[in-house]
Amino acid sequence: LKCIQEKTDLDNQAEIEQLLNQTNFTFDGEDGLVLFMDGEDISSHIITAAITESVSSVSAIPKVREKLVSCQRKMAKGLDVILEGRDIGTVVFPNADHKFFLIADIRERAKRRMQEMEAKGEIVSLSALTAELEERDRIDSTREHSPLKKAEDSVEIDTTSLSIEQQVNRIVEIVTKSIK
């Protein structure tokens, strides 16, 4: 997001690293659930099409990964948190008490993403979105630093035919059983 705002060349790692050193991330707001970058609420901005189209190339830069992992750990320190992300259980919090690896059919994922985007007034085609997700998965799974992969001790849940409520209930059921 900041690279786009500052019109930074996404192929210029040195420029991105310099920008990164001038950036501050915090969680704040009610219940600490709002993500801020340099004091600005960016929660809704980071899930736009413009961001998701370029996130894989920027997130593959080692210095970016290091900074974001450090920020995530710092923001969660001393808290019971639920986080989602492509390397949360393998890199950011490899010793988490509970880890889940959610999968879904690529077309279902694209449909869900399309609905999110349409709710925000963004119109995209299902085929284009499917292709973008496939490419992001390929890039994220093959990157050298913090690749997308399932943690060995995570529970895999196929969410293709599950509503969000059913997904949450399944996770709560598994955690509840493990606590007992």
Side-chain angles (χ1 to χ4, degrees), residues 132-162:
E132 284 177 24
L133 288 173
E134 286 175 332
E135 180 63 5
R136 181 174 177 203
D137 286 350
R138 185 194 65 74
I139 291 169
D140 290 355
S141 298
T142 59
R143 67 181 175 216
E144 184 178 347
H145 299 281
S146 303
L148 164 63
K149 65 180 182 178
K150 178 183 171 190
E152 289 181 22
D153 58 342
S154 67
V155 176
E156 184 173 298
I157 300 174
D158 186 341
T159 68
T160 303
S161 60
L162 300 177

Side-chain angles (χ1 to χ4, degrees), residues 70-103:
S70 174
C71 287
Q72 290 166 317
R73 288 178 178 162
K74 180 180 170 188
M75 289 186 282
K77 189 171 181 74
L79 301 173
D80 289 328
V81 296
I82 299 171
L83 300 171
E84 62 92 14
R86 293 185 161 217
D87 66 349
I88 296 294
T90 55
V91 176
V92 183
F93 295 105
N95 299 318
D97 293 334
H98 303 283
K99 298 179 201 173
F100 299 93
F101 191 79
L102 306 181
I103 61 168

Side-chain angles (χ1 to χ4, degrees), residues 37-178:
M37 178 178 70
D38 300 331
E40 177 190 352
D41 176 358
I42 61 167
S43 303
S44 62
H45 301 295
I46 60 173
I47 56 173
T48 61
I51 301 306
T52 57
E53 289 170 9
S54 58
V55 70
S56 289
S57 61
V58 175
S59 67
I61 299 169
K63 293 285 185 194
V64 171
R65 302 279 349 131
E66 289 172 24
K67 169 106 179 199
L68 294 180
V69 167
S70 174
C71 287
Q72 290 166 317
R73 288 178 178 162
K74 180 180 170 188
M75 289 186 282
K77 189 171 181 74
L79 301 173
D80 289 328
V81 296
I82 299 171
L83 300 171
E84 62 92 14
R86 293 185 161 217
D87 66 349
I88 296 294
T90 55
V91 176
V92 183
F93 295 105
N95 299 318
D97 293 334
H98 303 283
K99 298 179 201 173
F100 299 93
F101 191 79
L102 306 181
I103 61 168
D105 173 79
I106 191 73
R107 282 189 59 79
E108 180 61 27
R109 289 174 50 212
K111 285 179 192 175
R112 291 172 183 170
R113 183 74 177 122
M114 188 168 78
Q115 289 172 345
E116 289 175 0
M117 295 172 79
E118 286 176 348
K120 292 179 173 60
E122 295 182 55
I123 306 301
V124 294
S125 77
L126 184 61
S127 60
L129 203 46
T130 301
E132 284 177 24
L133 288 173
E134 286 175 332
E135 180 63 5
R136 181 174 177 203
D137 286 350
R138 185 194 65 74
I139 291 169
D140 290 355
S141 298
T142 59
R143 67 181 175 216
E144 184 178 347
H145 299 281
S146 303
L148 164 63
K149 65 180 182 178
K150 178 183 171 190
E152 289 181 22
D153 58 342
S154 67
V155 176
E156 184 173 298
I157 300 174
D158 186 341
T159 68
T160 303
S161 60
L162 300 177
S163 68
I164 291 178
E165 183 177 328
Q166 290 170 321
Q167 293 172 42
V168 170
N169 289 340
R170 178 75 180 119
I171 291 169
V172 169
E173 175 186 312
I174 292 168
V175 170
T176 304
K177 281 182 183 177
S178 74

Side-chain angles (χ1 to χ4, degrees), residues 28-42:
D28 208 343
E30 189 174 320
D31 298 324
L33 300 176
V34 181
L35 180 60
F36 287 82
M37 178 178 70
D38 300 331
E40 177 190 352
D41 176 358
I42 61 167

